[in-house]
């Protein structure tokens, strides 16, 4: 008969075996349903939510930041019907037919297929839960590349209602290989040639299905990028149904600050902004050839107890329309060192003038507001407002609108004059931007010229900044009795506005 010691040892071994088995089971379940563990960063969430409004979406991000992961997660939701409870993006209420595309067979296998299904043939360890996979059909010619996947789809009540099909394609075979079929949704991982992208749109036209692209913009302002940023006149139709999200390395948490610095430093100078920040390499077309690091400041570190009381403040407003954003920036002006600190910004569309004014007023109703020439236009927002200027409507809402439109002391108000003043300040660190203002930096990165002319798309905060620089002489300190102008770059003070 075994001794008590032997029985205790056997019991311990059995317990350890059971616990190890439970651990392996839980580990397997966690790796076979990665969708449950997905917690999108802010820019990933913005990209997903944009799908409810925009048919075409472009997610430009630096290398290894999560753009492909976001593209694959969204595809898994559409294929399975298992949307997160707080999902605000596009929703299909039925099984779908979809495509995932890459550059070549190998890159399609190693990128979108790996994200969706797992590495090699370890199916079920990607974004599509293992229990949703019904059948995987291998393709010919490339080892482990799949031709298609059959996926179980659940309705909103969690009941099985049919199968979704995902087919893997790649750009190298050309647009001709994509012709003929009608598809509900398409994900392009890495930048496609324009003719391939156009064919993808054609394949989804029958159902007006979503097409999204995820890539690092190493090709610069390519034809595909320009379609979203600055389309040709013949490509303007449908521009309102296109959206762009840009994500940089400072907006993710899976790298330490030390690692981020090391990663950025490892890239060649001419590729750094594309690989670390998802900014297309604009070359000579970029308006401000300035590194972001040279004009960033951290509000909490620089001004731990707030701005000095002698700093003068000014807001600057760029008027929008219902669909086009209204934008505003707030600046603190250190007159002694002739340095401007932009510490806040606002950009929003599809809200009324009273709503815009309320948001602007909340930042400090005592702060004077600079505005552009179109503030003199008359508006007919309502029967009561007929005949009022846009400036007047904001003034009625309690904003301290400056008397005159934005212009320099010498009455100059041209765009180029404003840009040159901003550039000079950037180059001497006399115009610096709070590092948390991602909307501002998104515009800064894409602000460029085409055929020598400033491209006036997604430039609302850039314009507001320019108006503020023009009107710096009217900045004021909190608690001052009137709107006294200030000396800028050696100019004399002037009377009230």
């Amino acid at each position: 008969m075994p001794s008590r010691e032997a029985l205790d040892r056997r019991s311990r071994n059995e317990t350890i075996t059971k616990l190890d088995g439970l651990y392996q089971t839980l580990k397997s379940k966690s790796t076979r349903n990665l969708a449950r563990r997905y917690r999108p960063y802010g820019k990933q969430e913005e990209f997903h939510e944009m799908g409810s409004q925009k048919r075409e979406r472009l997610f430009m991000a630096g290398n290894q930041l999560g753009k492909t992961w976001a593209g694959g997660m969204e595809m898994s939701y559409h294929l399975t019907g298992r949307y997160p409870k707080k999902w605000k993006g596009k929703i299909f209420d039925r099984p779908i037919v979809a495509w995932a595309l890459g550059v070549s067979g190998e890159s399609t296998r190693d990128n979108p297929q790996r994200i969706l299904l797992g590495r090699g043939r370890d199916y079920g360890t990607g974004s599509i839960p293992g229990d949703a996979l019904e059948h995987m059909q291998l393709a010919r010619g490339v080892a482990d590349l799949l031709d298609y996947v059959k996926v179980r789809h659940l309705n909103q009540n969690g009941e099985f209602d049919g199968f979704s099909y995902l087919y893997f394609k790649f750009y190298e075979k050309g647009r001709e290989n994509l012709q003929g079929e009608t598809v509900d949704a398409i994900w392009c991982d890495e930048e496609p040639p324009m003719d391939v992208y156009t064919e993808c749109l054609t394949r989804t036209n029958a159902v007006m299905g979503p097409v999204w692209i995820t890539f690092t913009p190493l090709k610069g302002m390519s034809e595909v990028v320009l379609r979203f940023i600055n389309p040709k006149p013949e490509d303007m139709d449908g521009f309102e149904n296109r959206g762009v999200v840009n994500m940089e390395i400072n907006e993710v948490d899976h790298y330490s600050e030390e690692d981020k610095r090391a990663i950025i430093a490892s890239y060649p100078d001419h590729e750094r902004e594309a690989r670390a920040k998802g900014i297309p390499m604009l070359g000579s077309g970029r308006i401000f050839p300035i590194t972001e690091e040279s004009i960033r400041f951290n509000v909490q570190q620089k001004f731990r107890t707030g701005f000095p009381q002698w700093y003068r403040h000014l807001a600057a407003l760029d008027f929008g329309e219902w669909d086009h954003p209204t934008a505003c920036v707030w600046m603190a002006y250190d007159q002694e060192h002739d340095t401007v600190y932009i510490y806040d910004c606002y950009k929003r569309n599809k809200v009324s003038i009273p709503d815009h004014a309320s948001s602007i007023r909340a930042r400090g109703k005592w702060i004077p507001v600079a505005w552009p020439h179109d503030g003199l236009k008359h508006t007919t927002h309502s029967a009561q407002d007929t005949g009022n200027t846009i400036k007047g409507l904001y003034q009625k809402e309690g904003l301290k609108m400056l008397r005159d439109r934005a212009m320099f002391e010498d009455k100059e108000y041209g765009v180029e004059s404003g840009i040159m003043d901003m550039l000079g300040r950037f180059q001497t660190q006399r115009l610096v931007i709070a590092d948390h203002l991602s909307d501002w930096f998104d515009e800064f990165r894409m602000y460029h010229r085409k055929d020598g002319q400033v491209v006036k798309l997604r430039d609302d905060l850039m314009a507001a900044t320019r108006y503020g620089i023009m009107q710096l002489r009217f900045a004021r300190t909190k608690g001052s009795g009137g709107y006294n102008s200030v000396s800028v770059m050696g100019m004399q003070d002037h009377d009230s506005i």
Side-chain angles (χ1 to χ4, degrees), residues 207-315:
V207 295
M208 296 302 288
V211 179
W212 63 95
I213 319 173
T214 55
F215 64 79
T216 297
L218 294 173
K219 297 179 182 178
M221 295 299 285
S222 65
E223 196 172 1
V224 171
V225 172
L226 287 172
R227 177 178 175 83
F228 288 85
I229 303 299
N230 182 27
K232 301 175 183 176
E234 60 267 28
D235 290 333
M236 281 300 296
D237 286 346
F239 183 65
E240 68 280 0
N241 290 319
R242 299 173 206 151
V244 184
V245 174
N246 172 266
M247 184 168 71
E248 62 167 292
I249 195 169
N250 290 320
E251 294 170 316
V252 304
D253 297 331
H254 55 275
Y255 295 119
S256 68
E257 293 304 314
E258 183 179 356
D259 286 342
K260 290 176 183 178
R261 289 191 292 271
I263 290 169
I264 293 171
S266 71
Y267 295 135
D269 290 345
H270 69 285
E271 293 184 353
R272 188 164 294 160
E273 294 204 325
R275 291 193 179 278
K277 301 174 183 178
I279 305 170
M281 294 188 290
L282 300 179
S284 61
R286 189 167 185 180
I287 290 178
F288 298 124
I290 302 294
T291 62
E292 291 183 23
E293 286 71 20
S294 68
I295 61 170
R296 286 178 178 265
F297 77 97
N298 184 280
V299 176
Q300 297 301 320
Q301 293 177 3
K302 181 76 175 178
F303 302 103
R304 291 183 181 276
T305 59
F307 292 109
Q309 62 180 3
W310 58 86
Y311 276 25
R312 298 172 181 260
H313 292 255
L314 181 70

Side-chain angles (χ1 to χ4, degrees), residues 314-318 327-331 342-346 437 440 460-466 468:
L314 181 70
L317 186 60
D318 180 54
C328 190
V329 298
W330 285 261
M331 47 187 68
I342 294 183
Y343 60 89
D344 202 357
C345 70
Y346 166 90
L437 301 182
W440 193 96
D460 314 288
L461 291 167
M462 295 299 98
T465 302
R466 192 171 70 249

Side-chain angles (χ1 to χ4, degrees), residues 419-439:
I419 286 175
M420 293 307 298
D421 196 299
M422 289 173 63
L423 178 59
R425 287 182 173 275
F426 282 141
Q427 291 173 330
T428 53
Q429 286 76 54
R430 290 180 299 116
L431 173 57
V432 290
I433 318 299
D435 56 11
H436 69 281
L437 301 182
S438 58
D439 283 347

Side-chain angles (χ1 to χ4, degrees), residues 374-417:
D374 51 349
L376 298 175
K377 292 180 181 178
H378 289 264
T379 182
T380 55
H381 279 71
S382 68
Q384 292 77 18
D385 292 334
T386 301
N388 279 303
T389 61
I390 297 175
K391 172 217 173 180
L393 292 178
Y394 278 92
Q395 196 158 345
K396 283 184 177 181
E397 295 297 328
L399 296 190
K400 305 296 184 183
M401 306 294 283
L402 295 178
R403 185 186 64 192
D404 296 319
R405 55 171 290 184
M407 64 183 77
F408 286 108
E409 180 72 11
D410 60 2
K411 307 301 182 183
E412 173 62 47
Y413 56 84
V415 172
E416 292 297 337
S417 297

Side-chain angles (χ1 to χ4, degrees), residues 38 40 42 65 83 104 121 199 235 237 252 281 283 332 376 388 455 460 484:
Y38 180 49
L65 301 187
Y83 296 99
S104 64
R121 299 191 187 184
E199 193 63 39
D235 290 333
D237 286 346
V252 304
M281 294 188 290
L376 298 175
N388 279 303
V455 175
D460 314 288
N484 296 322

